[in-house]
Amino acid sequence: MLTLVIALLTQAITTTEAPSKPATAIVTRSRNEWRVEYRLKKKSRAWLFPVSQPVSRTHEPWRERAWRVITAGVHIERRGSYDVLVPTNGTFVPLKVQIVFTPTNATLDREYDPAIAFSNGATALYSDQFDVIPSADLNAIGAKEAGLSVRDLGGSHTTVRFHDVSGPVFVQGRRQSDPVLIGGETYVVFGSSKVEETAGVAMLADPALPEWVKAEVAGFAPKRCRGIRFTTG
């Protein structure tokens, strides 16, 4: 797949102090292993993943096959249109949950791809796929409309830290060590790739992408994005 990730350098990148969140997460890549560790700050009978749309081509869910819960007493199951963390003993989801996952490079139905694979081995992860929100009524989840946002579901975004054992990641137009995103709606790129700066645009392009495509993007991106301010929180 030919991939291009861009961000403006000329716009201000601001960070707001995060209010108290019901969940935090650390996403870690260590060599070929990917892991997400959740710290849940309240007891709940279920934790719902808002980004749960199925794969467009097959209409099948993807998270149950690609994410493996290694914490005892909890598993992922499908309820209606959503993936859900559910306790195996019928009480509450453990407050600390560890999951090993394989980045899912697939096109979802009306949602950002969970992961994008570059031809040189780099991987971009969609930040908001790691959002989880508590739900007191497990049965009610199955009746909810598909594609609802975190806010529509009555929750708030998870505070997510991204850590690569190999070094900084690329996000919001620059390389950063252990960036923290809250509802970032962006991609975090793990792995080495050349960052090209042209006319105020920091462009991380797949090495296989033709030069003329990169030139066109560098030309129209500042015009389309002028006035946008990137924020977290």
Side-chain angles (χ1 to χ4, degrees):
M1 178 183 293
L2 300 182
T3 306
L4 182 67
V5 180
I6 62 171
L8 290 185
L9 285 181
T10 54
Q11 303 297 333
I13 298 176
T14 61
T15 302
T16 57
E17 185 176 350
S20 177
K21 297 290 182 180
T24 62
I26 301 177
V27 176
T28 302
R29 184 183 76 160
S30 179
R31 295 186 178 180
N32 293 324
E33 182 183 84
W34 298 83
R35 183 180 296 244
V36 56
E37 178 179 297
Y38 286 100
R39 296 296 180 97
L40 309 175
K41 299 183 179 181
K42 63 177 292 184
K43 290 184 177 180
S44 180
R45 298 186 182 279
W47 287 81
L48 178 154
F49 293 94
V51 177
S52 292
Q53 286 80 336
V55 176
S56 294
R57 183 175 58 84
T58 63
H59 305 293
E60 294 292 330
W62 51 274
R63 188 176 272 110
E64 284 183 88
R65 292 193 295 269
W67 292 33
R68 178 172 60 88
V69 180
I70 59 177
T71 299
V74 61
H75 67 280
I76 296 174
E77 66 178 49
R78 190 75 172 178
R79 289 293 180 111
S81 299
Y82 295 92
D83 300 321
V84 188
L85 283 171
V86 179
T88 56
N89 58 9
T91 55
F92 299 104
V93 174
L95 296 182
K96 179 180 177 181
V97 178
Q98 294 191 50
I99 299 170
V100 174
F101 68 94
T102 300
T104 300
N105 182 21
T107 299
L108 305 187
D109 183 20
R110 292 173 293 177
E111 182 57 88
Y112 291 101
D113 297 3
I116 299 174
F118 286 70
S119 63
N120 66 349
T123 300
L125 297 181
Y126 179 55
S127 60
D128 288 11
Q129 69 181 292
F130 301 103
D131 278 335
V132 289
I133 62 174
S135 177
D137 188 348
L138 182 59
N139 293 325
I141 295 174
K144 293 184 182 295
E145 178 185 350
L148 295 177
S149 68
V150 169
R151 180 174 297 180
D152 291 337
L153 290 165
S156 57
H157 289 284
T158 300
T159 301
V160 186
R161 182 183 301 275
F162 294 87
H163 174 67
D164 189 353
V165 172
S166 300
V169 298
F170 182 88
V171 63
Q172 295 176 320
R174 59 194 175 99
R175 294 199 181 278
Q176 304 181 50
S177 295
D178 296 352
V180 175
L181 298 178
I182 307 168
E185 293 187 319
T186 189
Y187 281 92
V188 181
V189 183
F190 291 73
S192 60
S193 196
K194 182 181 178 182
V195 179
E196 302 177 32
E197 298 182 21
T198 305
V201 176
M203 185 163 53
L204 192 66
D206 191 304
L209 199 70
E211 290 296 326
W212 67 267
V213 175
K214 291 189 285 185
E216 286 200 0
V217 171
F220 76 72
K223 299 176 184 178
R224 292 292 301 272
C225 300
R226 186 173 292 114
I228 294 176
R229 172 168 293 183
F230 293 93
T231 62
T232 61

